[in-house]
Amino acid sequence: MKKRDAELRDELKSHLDMAITDRIARGESPEEAVAAARRQFGNLSQIQEATRDVWGRRWLEHLAQDVRYALRTFRRNRAFALVAILSLTLGIGANTALFEVVDAVRLRSLPIADPGGLLEVRLASMDGARGAFHTPHESVTQPIWRELQARQQAFTLFAWSRASFNLAEGGEARPADGLWVSGEFFNALGLRPARGRLLSPEDDRTGCAPRAVLGYGFWQRHYGGDTSIVGRTINIRNRPIEIAGVAPPDFHGLEVGRTFDIALPLCAEAVLSVNGKGRSEAGTTWWLMTFGRLKPGWTLDRATAHLAAISPEIFRTSLPAGYPAISVEKYLAMKFIAEPGGQGLSQLREAYETPLWLLLGIAGLVLVIACANLANLLLARATAREREISVRLGLGASRGRVIRQLLTESLLLVTIGTICAVFLAGAMGRWLVAALETSNRTITLPLIINWRVLGFAVLLAVATCLLFGLAPAIRATGVSAASVLRVTTRGASAGRESVALRRGLVVVQIALSVALLFGSLLFTRTLRNVLSVDPGFRAEGLVVAEIDSARMRLESDRLVAHNDLISERVRSIPGVQGAATVAVVPISGNTGGNDVWPETNTSARFNTYVNFVGAGYFRMLGIPLIAGRDFDARDKPDSVAVVIVNEAFAAKLGGASAAIGQRITREQTPRNPAKTYEVVGVVKNSTYLALKDDPYPTMNYAGTQDQPYPDMQLMVRSSLPPTATTSAITAALANIDSRINVDYTIVPTMIRDTLVQERVLAALSAGFGALAAVLTMVGLYGLVAYSVTRRSTEIGVRMALGARGSDILRLILRETAFLLAIGVGVGVGLAIAGGHTASSLLFRVRPYDPITLLASIALLAAVAFGASYLPARRATRIEPVVALRTD
Amino acid sequence: MSTYMAKRERYQNRIELLQGTLDLLVLQTLQWGPQHGYGIAQAIQAGSSDVLQVDTGSLYPALHRLEKQKWISATWKLSANKQRTRVYRLTAAGRRQLASERSRWQTLVDAMAGILARPQESQS
């Protein structure tokens, strides 16, 4: 390119030289000849331009020229370039990171063959389902699955469920993430093994000798990717299981956010269970999710009609004996539907989809604020470069060409910022995912920079560039060349229009900041409100031990003594202050519930949570007894069945003292007939499921009146650190029998883990809110400083005429107050609209909470006046003489 | 390119060249042998008895355009007074192009002449 330019220049020069030589030869004087030849020749650079046009690489050349020029400008204004790139990197990076996570949990399809063709076949409603539920998602029982499988013809169908497999042989548990899968699972998903083979329908026969498929990550982690793994055995639930193969690397199951270590066929559930029957026979254990692909020749409409047609038959034949009469009709009316399932299921998605979109929106607004700042910076620079630009316009550059050049600068900033942002986004996304993890929930969420994420980043970059670059560029080139060149006074050419634009940008910043600060205050208050909820018991020092003695195969009479021995040994550990059995650990997420009514008044039926607790449970937790007595030695399996209820329950019976002695009937359940209990005690309300819940009726059965189970949950209060407590318990259990398995939950950690959403929202929104405030501060500072410079003559005159410093201060701050008033006016509207959107995520604070709103306005006003004060002070120190002389 | 000429009009007797006409004149001039840009301009001017003034701002874009079409080729040569000049020569494709351009031009001239030579009786 350069060589060609030089050659063209040489060629044109030779032309001119020859013309001059000819003229001299014709007798003109050298001076005349040069002048005349030049005149005839015309404008050298214009000819060059016109000729280069013919070469046809003009835009590329212009771009290269513009980029070179922009880089030179950045080198001269390092601070500007650095601030711009940094804020773009942070702004675009935060947005891309959030989008990456949204993409991973919401938008992306499963890494399987033809994810679009995968359908979920699920119950339209779980209304008629009674019994035990192993997943929050719609699920079916084993008998329903068998009927569905036998009767449907439209799908290649499979069932699966999540599981936890203990790999330890006695002692403390080593849980692995597991999957139960029916025979068609891997085949229908179109997966190929990384090693060995995957499970097939032959592996899933009742009474099978189970074979395992390992997850790729587990194979790498635990076996170092050992290639001789196929055919070896792994101990699962104390049973050696042959390894059939390894699943492909990117397959993590159908649950987004979770992975699996080991997959076993459904038939293994019964084989590995303590009683050898497992959940298979129970028509009241809801645990299987069913997915499938349409067989050739079937359409979704036909398949849906088919499912509707076979549903009544499925539920008639699968109705378990002794199903609660009140629910039979609803059970028989249940119906299967088919829905797209290519994105899998995700508890993560259900819990965090709304907060993630909200955070993405917040991050977007912060980016807009950052853009406004950059636009302001560019406008300021454009004012400073007014002369340069008007000279270039005057020398014949077209306005479009100059705009293109100014936009190239913006584009270059954005390009550099976006490249940095994409790298930053990966780290930020991983950090966000890690922040959502809890002690018992590891999140496996591959964050991939795919075309969607990249497209989002590029789109953001282009929008950003236009947002902050275009207006200043158009503004800058709008000045007439003559006016600028004629007027020599500093700053006089900066028209009112430019100032209005800059003020507008600052108003936008203020408005958005008010909304963002309001949002972050709402979430912070929500977190504080949840944290300050009194659960009604003391959580510190509490540890739950899940103790499983199933391998000892004790008869129930010996089991009672065995469990008592365990409790006794644990209580005698130094530092342990108490231990009591409990069926449902509060705030663990597990629940049990039934309808109850006073024995003589069936119409006063109401719903209650239920629990089984041992003697001393309430005392140990610090839940005060209000009336009656605690469970004690009187409560034997054959004595009168008793319950202790909470205040909310007692309120239904006419208050605490009235409740004592009343007889309460619990409805028939799938496993038990209706039964009547006597209320012997009332305790204060305490949290059962979630800190956010209002008090709800709760009924506690006496643990000693329950049938003994080989697996018991022991709640332990100890003054030792949790790890010391757990290792002491493990040692005590090993002393009793080496076949006892145990797993622990630290209660304070468990409770803290339930507040991840509130924590993340509060932290991120506060971060974004603070960022917004800082950016607005910078924007306002820049504007006021500029305005002081622009009005220095006016201020000088005023001071010369006797204005005092405080008058000038007021003059300058009045502008801030004006902008603040407009910005806050708009911002309050935005804030209330935003609060309304987020209302489902708030706790004990109204989405339009006036005090919070006032606080955010006050906060921003402080920021605004703080930002304006410095330049305003500078204005008061202007020397009238100096200010007037500069003109 | 001709619009440039119009704007920078300085000679009363100059005739504005039609688009594409300059290309034909350049090809025609090069038919008599290799020549540099200045020489081509001079030849056209002299050949038209100074009626046609070739604007440098049109000539060089035209030369580079013809070169891009591969109708002419260029080499650097030393001129008589030891000056480095870029000399253009007609290629075989250029010769064919010249022939077809010439016949098209002839058709145009005949057509124009036919119209212009008609008696102007309708005017009176």
Side-chain angles (χ1 to χ4, degrees), chain A residues 71-82 381 385:
Chain A
L71 286 175
R72 211 184 310 144
T73 317
F74 294 159
R75 266 201 298 280
R76 270 209 309 272
N77 296 285
R78 286 221 175 89
F80 164 76
L82 208 67
R381 260 165 48 79
R385 288 167 69 179

Side-chain angles (χ1 to χ4, degrees), chain A residues 4 6-8 10-23 26 36 39-43 46-47 50-51 53-56, chain B residues 1 4 8 10-11 36-39 41-42 45 53-57 59-65 68 76 79 81 83-86 88:
Chain A
R4 206 164 168 187
E7 285 195 344
L8 178 62
D10 285 353
E11 184 179 6
L12 294 175
K13 188 164 178 308
S14 73
H15 181 112
L16 193 59
D17 287 346
M18 283 187 277
I20 294 167
T21 317
D22 272 4
R23 279 179 188 272
R26 266 189 252 128
R39 201 165 48 238
Q40 196 183 11
F41 188 81
N43 185 330
Q46 244 165 26
I47 297 169
T51 311
D53 269 353
V54 174
W55 298 347
Chain B
M1 294 314 123
Y4 267 90
R8 307 201 172 269
R10 250 165 302 196
Y11 301 98
H36 47 63
Y38 179 70
Q42 292 299 106
Q45 202 174 329
Q53 294 269 353
V54 180
D55 188 279
T56 339
L59 176 66
Y60 283 92
L63 284 172
H64 284 250
R65 188 167 52 241
K68 200 176 167 193
W76 285 94
S79 69
N81 46 4
Q83 196 174 21
R84 247 179 110 245
T85 59
R86 202 155 187 261
Y88 296 88

